Amino acid sequence: DAGVTQSPTHLIKTRGQQVTLRCSPKSGHDTVSWYQQALGQGPQFIFQYYEEEERQRGNFPDRFSGHQFPNYSSELNVNALLLGDSALYLCASSLSWVGETQYFGPGTRLLVL
Amino acid sequence: AQSVTQPDIHITVSEGASLELRCNYSYGATPYLFWYVQSPGQGLQLLLKYFSGDTLVQGIKGFEAEFKRSQSSFNLRKPSVHWSDAAEYFCAVASNFGNEKLTFGTGTRLTIIP
């Protein structure tokens, strides 16, 4: 049973560019959450998708947007990249039931130059 | 708003010694609490979780944690560490149903010396 997968593993962009990160949830999971982990910090919640809708959002600007597809996979889009967007972006999947655990993927490391 | 504090940024322990990593949380209602471990360049792996019931929770790799409501703490323990336990450890709290937004602490880096 494949766990959460993310692509690409690494990415280098320049300021002002746009980036799309992808996530495939663990088999059977219908909820996807995205987190940003800056170097030396704990992950920060960006948003969560369920039934193709954004269900909850953290304190991130509108430059961060997402999408969930009918097969439950998800994309994170970041526009107008800033140097401060350099981080490890983690995707987590879970079931939508009460008490279900979030399982994390290996992350995508984004470097903005 | 919920928050998590991990007071120890870096801990060094000898192999075979016992370990305790501290975690304090702030949340108005009954919290859902988690410990995750992250090895270099890796994602997060769940060690254990507390939702309700017995306040002493057993996890994988020989770890356990104890929920103490009076102290707002959820400390992680292991009786005898192995060199492979060297990693970054994160405590997290979730609201509501436990599968929504996770709020993480800043992490504790564990170094194991021979």
Side-chain angles (χ1 to χ4, degrees):
Chain A
D1 175 26
V4 180
T5 60
Q6 294 185 243
S7 63
T9 56
H10 295 81
L11 204 52
I12 300 175
K13 292 286 187 178
T14 56
R15 280 178 297 174
Q17 284 189 312
Q18 178 264 344
V19 68
T20 297
L21 310 181
R22 295 176 176 81
C23 172
S24 292
K26 186 176 168 64
S27 178
H29 284 183
D30 57 7
T31 301
V32 174
S33 302
W34 287 91
Y35 293 81
Q36 180 196 65
Q37 185 179 19
L39 201 61
Q41 300 296 317
Q44 299 287 319
F45 176 77
I46 303 175
F47 43 54
Q48 184 181 80
Y49 277 83
Y50 170 66
E51 291 189 338
E52 302 180 50
E53 296 287 333
E54 184 182 289
R55 181 161 74 174
Q56 197 175 13
R57 189 178 181 93
N59 188 27
F60 278 80
D62 292 344
R63 297 187 297 110
F64 290 77
S65 63
H67 187 77
Q68 186 178 34
F69 299 94
N71 67 353
Y72 306 121
S73 67
S74 176
E75 289 182 348
L76 164 65
N77 300 291
V78 187
N79 295 321
L81 284 167
L82 304 174
L83 297 180
D85 294 331
S86 296
L88 180 68
Y89 288 86
L90 295 164
C91 170
S93 74
S94 63
L95 291 168
S96 58
W97 303 338
V98 173
E100 290 297 325
T101 299
Q102 294 184 33
Y103 293 87
F104 284 80
T108 293
R109 187 162 296 282
L110 172 65
L111 178 60
V112 182
L113 301 176
Chain B
Q2 60 205 48
S3 66
V4 174
T5 301
Q6 293 181 249
D8 303 306
I9 296 173
H10 185 202
I11 285 183
T12 300
V13 178
S14 298
E15 190 168 16
S18 64
L19 170 71
E20 182 169 26
L21 302 182
R22 295 183 291 166
C23 172
N24 292 97
Y25 69 89
S26 173
Y27 183 62
T30 300
Y32 295 85
L33 295 161
F34 306 80
W35 275 99
Y36 284 88
V37 61
Q38 186 176 39
S39 298
Q42 302 292 315
L44 298 169
Q45 181 184 22
L46 179 69
L47 287 175
L48 47 78
K49 61 184 181 183
Y50 171 79
F51 283 174
S52 64
D54 192 347
T55 56
L56 186 62
V57 180
Q58 301 298 320
I60 62 171
K61 304 184 179 186
F63 285 94
E64 67 177 26
E66 186 171 11
F67 171 60
K68 293 185 177 180
R69 184 186 299 275
S70 61
Q71 299 177 20
S72 297
S73 69
F74 188 57
N75 294 348
L76 182 71
R77 300 194 295 250
K78 187 171 184 177
S80 176
V81 297
H82 185 262
W83 64 267
S84 60
D85 293 324
E88 189 91 19
Y89 291 79
F90 292 95
C91 181
V93 63
S95 60
N96 301 328
F97 303 111
N99 64 341
E100 296 187 1
K101 166 187 172 181
L102 286 171
T103 298
F104 286 87
T106 51
T108 297
R109 184 160 61 94
L110 175 64
T111 298
I112 309 295
I113 56 176

